[in-house]
Amino acid sequence: MRANALVEEADIVAVLTPIYKVSYTGILKTYLDLLPQKALVDKRIVPIAIGGSLGHLLAVDYALKPVLSVLGAAEILNTVYFLDRQIERLEADGYRIDEEAEQRLNVELLKLAPAKIIN
C-alpha cells in the first residue's frame, strides 16, 4: 500500500482528523489498523484535529494518542486543535486558517525544525 510506504519512509507523520462524537473518524481508525504493529517507531507525530466545539479538545489525548503509542510513537507533539469555524473554504479551491490557529500550528511545527548549532 502506497500510504504505508510513505509512512515507513517518513521521519515526521502528521495525523489530521475531524473529531466526531468525541473521537477520531472511523476511516482513520481503519487506516491505523492497516499499519504494521510498530509503524510509528522513530517517527515524530504531529496530531491535528478539527472539531465543532472546545468540548472535544481532549478527544485526541484520550482516544488517538494511546493508539499512536501502541504503534510505536514515542514522540507525539502537542495536539493542534482547530474549531471548524477557524477554517474558511475559499471559492478558488483552497482553505484559509484563522491567524490565531495558524500561529498555534506554527509553534508545534517549529519544534520539528533541526536544532541550530551555534559556534
Side-chain angles (χ1 to χ4, degrees):
M1 175 187 288
R2 173 113 174 96
N4 286 10
L6 291 171
V7 169
E8 185 178 332
E9 295 169 12
D11 294 324
I12 300 165
V13 177
V15 178
L16 175 65
T17 184
I19 301 298
Y20 180 71
K21 294 189 178 183
V22 194
S23 188
Y24 56 96
T25 62
I27 196 162
L28 178 58
K29 167 74 168 101
T30 300
Y31 175 69
L32 293 174
D33 286 346
L34 295 174
L35 284 173
Q37 185 175 0
K38 294 299 178 182
L40 300 180
V41 169
D42 297 326
K43 311 286 184 207
R44 299 173 81 188
I45 310 300
V46 183
I48 303 169
I50 302 168
S53 76
L54 289 176
H56 296 150
L57 177 63
L58 297 177
V60 173
D61 289 332
Y62 291 112
L64 183 59
K65 284 186 178 180
V67 174
L68 298 174
S69 294
V70 167
L71 290 169
E75 187 176 354
I76 304 172
L77 276 64
N78 293 323
T79 301
V80 181
Y81 184 84
F82 297 127
L83 294 173
D84 56 4
R85 66 179 174 260
Q86 292 179 298
I87 301 172
E88 174 189 359
R89 186 174 184 159
L90 303 175
E91 289 182 27
D93 294 330
Y95 295 89
R96 180 185 356 238
I97 300 172
D98 174 84
E99 185 177 329
E100 182 273 335
E102 185 177 3
Q103 288 174 356
R104 286 187 291 107
L105 178 60
N106 286 335
V107 166
E108 291 307 309
L109 294 178
L110 285 172
K111 292 177 183 178
L112 300 170
K116 293 182 181 178
I117 299 173
I118 301 173
N119 292 332

